[in-house]
Coordinates of all heavy atoms in Angstrom, one line a residue:
M26 N 0.8 -1.2 0.0 CA 0.0 0.0 0.0 C 0.8 1.2 0.0 O 1.9 1.3 0.7 CB -0.9 0.0 1.2 CG -1.6 1.3 1.4 SD -2.6 1.4 2.9 CE -1.5 1.7 4.1
V27 N 0.5 2.2 -0.8 CA 1.2 3.5 -0.8 C 0.4 4.4 0.1 O -0.7 4.6 0.0 CB 1.3 4.1 -2.3 CG1 1.9 5.5 -2.2 CG2 2.1 3.1 -3.1
L28 N 1.2 5.0 1.1 CA 0.7 6.0 2.0 C 1.3 7.4 1.6 O 2.5 7.5 1.8 CB 1.0 5.6 3.4 CG 0.6 6.5 4.6 CD1 -0.9 6.6 4.5 CD2 1.1 6.0 5.9
S29 N 0.5 8.2 1.1 CA 1.0 9.6 0.7 C 0.6 10.7 1.6 O -0.6 10.8 2.0 CB 0.5 9.9 -0.7 OG 0.8 8.9 -1.6
V30 N 1.5 11.4 2.1 CA 1.3 12.6 2.9 C 1.6 13.8 2.2 O 2.7 14.0 1.7 CB 2.2 12.5 4.2 CG1 1.9 13.7 5.1 CG2 2.0 11.2 5.0
C31 N 0.6 14.7 2.2 CA 0.8 16.0 1.4 C 1.8 16.8 2.1 O 1.7 17.0 3.4 CB -0.6 16.7 1.3 SG -0.4 18.3 0.4
V32 N 2.7 17.4 1.4 CA 3.6 18.4 1.9 C 3.6 19.7 1.2 O 4.5 20.5 1.2 CB 5.1 17.8 1.8 CG1 5.2 16.6 2.8 CG2 5.5 17.5 0.4
G33 N 2.4 19.9 0.5 CA 2.2 21.2 -0.1 C 2.2 22.3 0.9 O 2.1 22.1 2.1
S34 N 2.1 23.5 0.4 CA 2.2 24.7 1.3 C 1.2 24.6 2.5 O 1.6 24.8 3.7 CB 1.9 26.0 0.5 OG 2.9 26.1 -0.5
S35 N -0.1 24.4 2.2 CA -1.0 24.4 3.3 C -0.8 23.2 4.3 O -0.8 23.5 5.6 CB -2.4 24.3 2.7 OG -3.4 24.3 3.7
C36 N -0.6 22.0 3.8 CA -0.4 20.9 4.7 C 1.0 21.1 5.5 O 1.1 20.7 6.7 CB -0.4 19.6 4.0 SG -2.1 19.2 3.5
H37 N 2.0 21.6 4.8 CA 3.3 21.8 5.5 C 3.1 22.8 6.7 O 3.6 22.5 7.8 CB 4.3 22.5 4.5 CG 5.6 22.9 5.1 ND1 6.4 22.1 5.5 CD2 6.0 24.2 5.4 CE1 7.4 22.7 6.1 NE2 7.2 24.0 6.0
L38 N 2.3 23.8 6.5 CA 2.1 24.8 7.6 C 1.3 24.2 8.7 O 1.4 24.6 9.8 CB 1.4 26.1 7.0 CG 2.3 26.9 6.2 CD1 1.4 28.0 5.5 CD2 3.5 27.5 6.9
K39 N 0.5 23.2 8.3 CA -0.3 22.4 9.3 C 0.4 21.3 10.0 O -0.2 20.6 10.8 CB -1.7 22.0 8.7 CG -2.5 23.2 8.3 CD -3.8 22.7 7.6 CE -4.6 23.9 7.2 NZ -5.8 23.4 6.4
G40 N 1.6 21.1 9.6 CA 2.4 20.0 10.4 C 2.7 18.7 9.7 O 2.9 17.7 10.3
S41 N 2.7 18.7 8.4 CA 2.9 17.5 7.7 C 4.3 16.8 8.0 O 4.4 15.6 8.0 CB 2.8 17.7 6.1 OG 3.7 18.6 5.7
Y42 N 5.3 17.6 8.3 CA 6.5 17.0 8.7 C 6.4 16.1 10.0 O 6.9 15.0 10.0 CB 7.6 18.1 8.9 CG 8.9 17.5 9.4 CD1 9.9 17.0 8.6 CD2 9.3 17.6 10.8 CE1 11.1 16.4 8.9 CE2 10.5 17.0 11.2 CZ 11.4 16.5 10.3 OH 12.5 15.9 10.7
D43 N 5.7 16.7 10.9 CA 5.5 15.9 12.2 C 4.6 14.6 11.9 O 4.9 13.6 12.5 CB 4.7 16.7 13.2 CG 5.5 17.8 13.7 OD1 6.8 17.7 13.7 OD2 4.9 18.8 14.2
V44 N 3.7 14.7 11.0 CA 2.9 13.5 10.6 C 3.8 12.4 10.0 O 3.7 11.3 10.3 CB 1.7 13.9 9.7 CG1 1.0 12.7 9.1 CG2 0.7 14.8 10.4
I45 N 4.7 12.9 9.1 CA 5.6 11.9 8.4 C 6.5 11.3 9.4 O 6.7 10.1 9.3 CB 6.4 12.7 7.3 CG1 5.4 13.0 6.1 CG2 7.5 11.8 6.8 CD1 6.1 13.9 5.0
E46 N 7.0 12.1 10.3 CA 7.9 11.5 11.4 C 7.2 10.5 12.2 O 7.7 9.4 12.5 CB 8.6 12.5 12.2 CG 9.6 13.4 11.4 CD 10.7 12.6 10.8 OE1 11.3 11.8 11.5 OE2 11.0 12.7 9.6
T47 N 6.0 10.8 12.6 CA 5.2 9.9 13.4 C 4.8 8.6 12.6 O 5.0 7.5 13.1 CB 3.8 10.5 13.8 OG1 4.1 11.7 14.6 CG2 3.0 9.6 14.6
F48 N 4.5 8.8 11.3 CA 4.2 7.6 10.5 C 5.4 6.7 10.3 O 5.3 5.5 10.4 CB 3.6 7.9 9.2 CG 2.2 8.4 9.2 CD1 1.6 9.0 8.0 CD2 1.4 8.3 10.3 CE1 0.3 9.4 8.0 CE2 0.1 8.7 10.3 CZ -0.4 9.3 9.1
K49 N 6.6 7.3 10.1 CA 7.8 6.5 10.0 C 8.1 5.6 11.3 O 8.4 4.5 11.2 CB 9.0 7.5 9.9 CG 9.2 8.0 8.5 CD 10.5 8.9 8.5 CE 10.7 9.7 7.3 NZ 11.9 10.5 7.4
R50 N 7.9 6.3 12.5 CA 8.0 5.5 13.7 C 7.0 4.4 13.8 O 7.4 3.4 14.3 CB 7.9 6.6 14.9 CG 8.0 6.0 16.2 CD 8.0 7.0 17.4 NE 6.7 7.8 17.3 CZ 5.5 7.4 17.8 NH1 5.4 6.1 18.3 NH2 4.4 8.1 17.7
L51 N 5.8 4.8 13.4 CA 4.7 3.7 13.6 C 4.9 2.6 12.6 O 4.6 1.4 12.9 CB 3.4 4.3 13.5 CG 3.0 5.3 14.6 CD1 1.8 6.1 14.2 CD2 2.9 4.6 15.9
I52 N 5.4 2.8 11.4 CA 5.7 1.7 10.5 C 6.7 0.8 11.1 O 6.6 -0.4 11.0 CB 6.1 2.4 9.1 CG1 4.9 3.0 8.4 CG2 6.7 1.3 8.2 CD1 5.2 3.9 7.2
D53 N 7.7 1.4 11.7 CA 8.7 0.5 12.4 C 8.1 -0.2 13.5 O 8.3 -1.4 13.7 CB 9.9 1.4 12.8 CG 10.8 1.8 11.7 OD1 10.7 1.2 10.6 OD2 11.5 2.8 11.8
K54 N 7.3 0.5 14.4 CA 6.8 -0.1 15.6 C 5.9 -1.3 15.2 O 5.9 -2.3 15.9 CB 5.9 1.0 16.3 CG 5.2 0.5 17.5 CD 4.5 1.5 18.2 CE 3.6 1.1 19.4 NZ 2.9 2.1 20.1
Y55 N 5.0 -1.2 14.2 CA 4.2 -2.2 13.8 C 4.7 -3.2 12.7 O 4.0 -4.0 12.2 CB 2.8 -1.6 13.3 CG 2.1 -1.0 14.5 CD1 2.1 0.4 14.8 CD2 1.3 -1.8 15.3 CE1 1.4 0.9 15.8 CE2 0.6 -1.3 16.4 CZ 0.7 0.1 16.6 OH 0.0 0.6 17.7
D56 N 6.0 -3.0 12.5 CA 6.7 -3.9 11.5 C 6.0 -4.0 10.2 O 5.7 -5.1 9.7 CB 7.0 -5.3 12.1 CG 8.0 -6.1 11.3 OD1 8.9 -5.5 10.7 OD2 7.8 -7.3 11.3
A57 N 5.6 -2.8 9.7 CA 4.7 -2.7 8.6 C 5.5 -2.2 7.3 O 4.9 -1.9 6.3 CB 3.6 -1.8 8.8
A58 N 6.8 -2.2 7.3 CA 7.6 -1.7 6.2 C 7.3 -2.5 4.9 O 7.3 -2.0 3.8 CB 9.0 -1.7 6.5
A59 N 7.0 -3.7 5.0 CA 6.8 -4.6 3.8 C 5.4 -4.4 3.3 O 5.2 -4.6 2.1 CB 6.9 -6.1 4.2
K60 N 4.5 -3.7 4.0 CA 3.1 -3.5 3.6 C 2.8 -2.0 3.3 O 1.9 -1.7 2.5 CB 2.1 -4.0 4.7 CG 2.2 -5.4 5.0 CD 1.3 -5.8 6.1 CE 1.3 -7.3 6.5 NZ 0.4 -7.6 7.5
I61 N 3.6 -1.2 3.8 CA 3.3 0.3 3.7 C 4.5 1.0 3.1 O 5.6 1.0 3.7 CB 2.9 0.9 5.0 CG1 1.7 0.3 5.5 CG2 2.7 2.5 4.8 CD1 1.3 0.7 7.0
E62 N 4.3 1.7 2.0 CA 5.4 2.5 1.4 C 5.0 4.0 1.6 O 4.0 4.5 1.1 CB 5.4 2.2 -0.1 CG 6.5 3.1 -0.8 CD 6.5 3.0 -2.3 OE1 6.0 1.9 -2.8 OE2 7.1 3.8 -3.0
L63 N 5.8 4.6 2.5 CA 5.4 6.0 2.8 C 6.1 7.0 1.8 O 7.3 6.9 1.5 CB 6.0 6.3 4.3 CG 5.8 7.7 4.8 CD1 4.3 8.0 4.9 CD2 6.4 7.8 6.2
R64 N 5.3 7.9 1.4 CA 5.7 8.9 0.4 C 5.2 10.3 0.8 O 4.1 10.4 1.3 CB 5.2 8.6 -1.0 CG 5.7 7.3 -1.6 CD 5.1 7.2 -3.1 NE 5.5 6.0 -3.7 CZ 5.1 5.6 -4.9 NH1 4.2 6.3 -5.5 NH2 5.4 4.5 -5.4
A65 N 6.0 11.3 0.4 CA 5.6 12.7 0.5 C 5.1 13.0 -0.9 O 5.5 12.5 -1.9 CB 6.7 13.6 0.9
C66 N 4.0 13.8 -0.9 CA 3.5 14.2 -2.3 C 3.0 15.7 -2.2 O 2.8 16.2 -1.1 CB 2.3 13.3 -2.7 SG 0.9 13.5 -1.7
F67 N 2.8 16.3 -3.3 CA 2.4 17.7 -3.3 C 0.9 17.6 -3.7 O 0.4 16.9 -4.5 CB 3.1 18.5 -4.4 CG 4.5 18.8 -3.9 CD1 5.6 18.1 -4.3 CD2 4.7 19.8 -3.0 CE1 6.9 18.3 -3.8 CE2 6.0 20.0 -2.5 CZ 7.1 19.3 -2.9
C68 N 0.2 18.5 -3.0 CA -1.3 18.8 -3.1 C -2.1 17.6 -3.5 O -2.2 17.2 -4.7 CB -1.5 20.0 -4.0 SG -3.2 20.6 -3.7
L69 N -2.9 17.1 -2.5 CA -3.9 16.1 -2.8 C -5.3 16.8 -3.0 O -6.3 16.1 -3.1 CB -4.0 15.2 -1.5 CG -2.8 14.3 -1.3 CD1 -2.9 13.5 0.0 CD2 -2.6 13.3 -2.5
G70 N -5.3 18.1 -3.1 CA -6.6 18.8 -3.4 C -7.5 19.0 -2.3 O -8.7 19.3 -2.4
R71 N -7.0 18.7 -1.1 CA -7.9 18.9 0.1 C -7.2 19.8 1.1 O -7.2 19.6 2.3 CB -8.0 17.5 0.8 CG -8.5 16.4 -0.1 CD -9.9 16.6 -0.7 NE -10.9 16.8 0.3 CZ -11.8 15.8 0.7 NH1 -11.8 14.7 0.1 NH2 -12.7 16.0 1.7
C72 N -6.8 20.9 0.6 CA -6.1 22.0 1.4 C -6.8 22.4 2.6 O -6.2 22.6 3.7 CB -5.7 23.2 0.5 SG -4.7 22.7 -0.9
S73 N -8.1 22.5 2.6 CA -8.9 23.0 3.7 C -9.0 21.9 4.7 O -9.4 22.1 5.9 CB -10.2 23.5 3.4 OG -11.0 22.5 2.8
D74 N -8.7 20.6 4.4 CA -8.8 19.5 5.3 C -7.5 19.0 5.7 O -7.4 17.8 6.2 CB -9.6 18.4 4.6 CG -11.0 18.8 4.2 OD1 -11.7 19.4 5.0 OD2 -11.3 18.4 3.1
G75 N -6.4 19.7 5.6 CA -5.0 19.2 5.9 C -4.8 19.1 7.3 O -5.5 19.6 8.2
V76 N -3.8 18.3 7.6 CA -2.9 17.6 6.8 C -3.6 16.4 6.1 O -4.3 15.7 6.8 CB -1.7 17.1 7.6 CG1 -0.8 16.1 6.7 CG2 -0.8 18.2 8.1
A77 N -3.5 16.4 4.7 CA -4.2 15.4 4.0 C -3.3 14.2 3.7 O -2.1 14.3 3.4 CB -4.7 15.9 2.7
V78 N -3.9 13.0 3.9 CA -3.2 11.7 3.7 C -4.0 10.9 2.8 O -5.2 10.9 2.9 CB -2.9 11.0 5.1 CG1 -2.3 9.7 4.8 CG2 -2.1 11.9 6.0
K79 N -3.4 10.1 1.9 CA -4.1 9.2 1.0 C -3.5 7.8 1.1 O -2.2 7.7 1.0 CB -4.0 9.7 -0.4 CG -5.0 9.1 -1.4 CD -4.9 9.8 -2.7 CE -5.9 9.3 -3.7 NZ -5.9 9.9 -5.0
A80 N -4.3 6.9 1.4 CA -3.9 5.5 1.6 C -4.7 4.6 0.6 O -5.9 4.4 0.8 CB -4.0 5.1 3.0
D81 N -4.1 4.2 -0.4 CA -4.9 3.3 -1.4 C -6.1 3.9 -1.9 O -7.2 3.3 -1.9 CB -5.1 1.9 -0.8 CG -3.9 1.0 -1.1 OD1 -3.0 1.4 -1.8 OD2 -3.9 -0.2 -0.6
G82 N -6.1 5.2 -2.2 CA -7.3 5.8 -2.7 C -8.2 6.4 -1.6 O -9.3 7.1 -1.9
N83 N -8.0 6.1 -0.4 CA -8.8 6.6 0.7 C -8.2 7.8 1.3 O -7.0 7.7 1.7 CB -8.9 5.5 1.8 CG -9.6 4.2 1.3 OD1 -10.8 4.3 1.0 ND2 -8.8 3.2 1.2
Y84 N -8.9 8.9 1.5 CA -8.4 10.1 2.1 C -8.6 10.0 3.6 O -9.7 9.6 4.1 CB -9.2 11.3 1.6 CG -8.8 11.7 0.2 CD1 -9.6 11.4 -0.8 CD2 -7.7 12.5 0.0 CE1 -9.2 11.8 -2.1 CE2 -7.3 12.8 -1.3 CZ -8.1 12.5 -2.4 OH -7.7 12.8 -3.7
I85 N -7.5 10.3 4.3 CA -7.6 10.5 5.7 C -7.2 11.9 6.0 O -6.1 12.4 5.6 CB -6.6 9.6 6.4 CG1 -7.0 8.1 6.1 CG2 -6.6 9.7 7.9 CD1 -5.9 7.2 5.8
L86 N -8.2 12.7 6.5 CA -8.0 14.1 6.6 C -7.9 14.7 8.0 O -8.2 14.0 9.0 CB -9.3 14.7 6.0 CG -9.6 14.3 4.5 CD1 -10.9 14.8 4.1 CD2 -8.4 14.7 3.6
N87 N -7.4 15.9 8.1 CA -7.2 16.6 9.4 C -6.3 15.8 10.3 O -6.4 15.8 11.5 CB -8.5 16.9 10.1 CG -9.4 17.7 9.2 OD1 -9.0 18.8 8.8 ND2 -10.6 17.3 8.9
V88 N -5.2 15.2 9.7 CA -4.2 14.6 10.5 C -3.3 15.6 11.0 O -2.9 16.6 10.4 CB -3.4 13.5 9.6 CG1 -2.4 12.7 10.5 CG2 -4.4 12.6 9.0
N89 N -2.9 15.4 12.3 CA -1.9 16.3 12.9 C -1.0 15.5 13.9 O -1.3 14.3 14.1 CB -2.6 17.5 13.5 CG -3.6 17.1 14.6 OD1 -3.2 16.3 15.5 ND2 -4.8 17.5 14.5
G90 N 0.0 16.2 14.5 CA 0.8 15.5 15.4 C 0.1 14.9 16.6 O 0.5 13.8 17.1
A91 N -0.9 15.5 17.0 CA -1.7 14.9 18.2 C -2.6 13.7 17.8 O -2.7 12.8 18.7 CB -2.6 16.0 18.7
N92 N -3.0 13.6 16.7 CA -3.9 12.4 16.3 C -3.3 11.5 15.3 O -4.0 10.5 14.9 CB -5.3 13.0 15.8 CG -5.3 13.6 14.5 OD1 -4.3 13.5 13.8 ND2 -6.3 14.3 14.2
A93 N -2.1 11.7 14.9 CA -1.5 10.9 13.8 C -1.4 9.4 14.2 O -1.7 8.5 13.4 CB -0.1 11.4 13.4
E94 N -1.1 9.1 15.4 CA -1.0 7.7 15.8 C -2.3 7.1 15.9 O -2.5 6.0 15.4 CB -0.3 7.6 17.2 CG -0.1 6.1 17.6 CD 0.9 5.9 18.7 OE1 1.5 6.9 19.2 OE2 1.1 4.8 19.1
E95 N -3.3 7.7 16.4 CA -4.7 7.2 16.4 C -5.2 6.9 15.0 O -5.8 5.8 14.7 CB -5.6 8.2 17.1 CG -7.0 7.7 17.1 CD -8.0 8.8 17.7 OE1 -7.5 9.8 18.2 OE2 -9.3 8.6 17.5
K96 N -5.0 7.8 14.1 CA -5.5 7.6 12.7 C -4.7 6.5 12.0 O -5.2 5.8 11.3 CB -5.4 9.0 11.9 CG -6.4 10.0 12.4 CD -6.6 11.1 11.4 CE -7.6 12.1 12.0 NZ -8.9 12.0 11.3
F97 N -3.4 6.4 12.3 CA -2.6 5.4 11.7 C -3.1 4.0 12.2 O -3.3 3.1 11.3 CB -1.1 5.5 12.2 CG -0.2 4.5 11.5 CD1 0.4 4.7 10.3 CD2 0.1 3.3 12.2 CE1 1.2 3.8 9.7 CE2 0.9 2.4 11.6 CZ 1.5 2.6 10.3
V98 N -3.3 3.8 13.5 CA -3.8 2.6 14.0 C -5.2 2.2 13.6 O -5.5 1.1 13.2 CB -3.7 2.5 15.6 CG1 -4.3 1.3 16.1 CG2 -2.2 2.6 15.9
N99 N -6.1 3.2 13.6 CA -7.5 2.9 13.3 C -7.9 3.0 11.9 O -8.9 2.3 11.4 CB -8.4 3.9 14.1 CG -8.3 3.7 15.6 OD1 -8.0 2.6 16.1 ND2 -8.4 4.8 16.4
E100 N -7.2 3.8 11.0 CA -7.6 3.9 9.7 C -6.6 3.4 8.6 O -7.1 3.0 7.6 CB -7.9 5.5 9.4 CG -9.0 5.9 10.3 CD -9.4 7.4 10.0 OE1 -9.5 7.7 8.8 OE2 -9.5 8.2 10.9
I101 N -5.3 3.5 8.9 CA -4.3 3.1 8.0 C -4.0 1.7 8.1 O -4.0 0.9 7.1 CB -3.1 4.0 8.0 CG1 -3.5 5.5 7.7 CG2 -2.0 3.6 7.2 CD1 -2.5 6.5 8.0
L102 N -3.6 1.2 9.3 CA -3.2 -0.2 9.4 C -4.3 -1.2 8.9 O -3.9 -2.2 8.3 CB -2.9 -0.5 10.8 CG -1.5 -0.3 11.3 CD1 -1.3 -0.6 12.8 CD2 -0.4 -1.0 10.5
P103 N -5.5 -1.0 9.1 CA -6.5 -1.9 8.6 C -6.5 -2.0 7.0 O -6.9 -3.0 6.5 CB -7.8 -1.3 9.1 CG -7.5 -0.6 10.3 CD -6.2 0.0 10.0
L104 N -6.1 -0.9 6.4 CA -6.0 -0.9 4.9 C -4.8 -1.7 4.4 O -4.7 -2.1 3.2 CB -6.0 0.5 4.3 CG -7.2 1.3 4.6 CD1 -6.9 2.8 4.2 CD2 -8.4 0.8 3.9
A105 N -3.8 -1.9 5.2 CA -2.5 -2.5 4.9 C -2.5 -4.0 5.1 O -1.8 -4.6 5.9 CB -1.3 -1.8 5.6
K106 N -3.4 -4.6 4.3 CA -3.5 -6.1 4.6 C -2.6 -6.9 3.7 O -2.2 -6.6 2.6 CB -5.0 -6.5 4.2 CG -5.9 -5.9 5.2 CD -7.3 -6.2 4.8 CE -8.3 -5.5 5.7 NZ -9.7 -5.7 5.4

């Protein structure tokens, strides 16, 4: 599964770097490197809902440093089958 985190201007200002760092840590923690390919991308077109993340065509919106782990465990890991 490709996990794309927007690093465009709006999402960058909303903390996409922190989200990426959290996702890197969680991919290691859950030994999911074989299932999840983490990528940075520019503009997913959801600027007002940022930080925007896309996982196999599914948008995960309003991700931030405070909720990134919860969203990863509850919304992203189940998609990485």
Side-chain angles (χ1 to χ4, degrees):
M26 172 181 77
V27 174
L28 179 61
S29 301
V30 179
C31 180
V32 294
S34 299
S35 179
C36 288
H37 172 73
L38 292 172
K39 293 177 182 178
S41 60
Y42 177 79
D43 292 335
V44 171
I45 290 171
E46 290 302 309
T47 298
F48 285 173
K49 284 181 187 177
R50 179 179 56 80
L51 293 170
I52 288 168
D53 288 340
K54 177 180 177 179
Y55 289 97
D56 196 28
K60 297 178 182 179
I61 299 173
E62 179 184 344
L63 181 61
R64 293 183 183 173
C66 67
F67 287 101
C68 200
L69 291 171
R71 304 299 299 257
C72 300
S73 63
D74 300 317
V76 171
V78 175
K79 193 172 185 181
D81 274 353
N83 300 290
Y84 286 99
I85 298 142
L86 305 172
N87 298 307
V88 183
N89 57 53
N92 69 13
E94 184 163 1
E95 176 186 350
K96 289 192 180 259
F97 184 87
V98 171
N99 295 326
E100 299 182 47
I101 296 166
L102 272 181
L104 296 172
K106 296 177 182 175

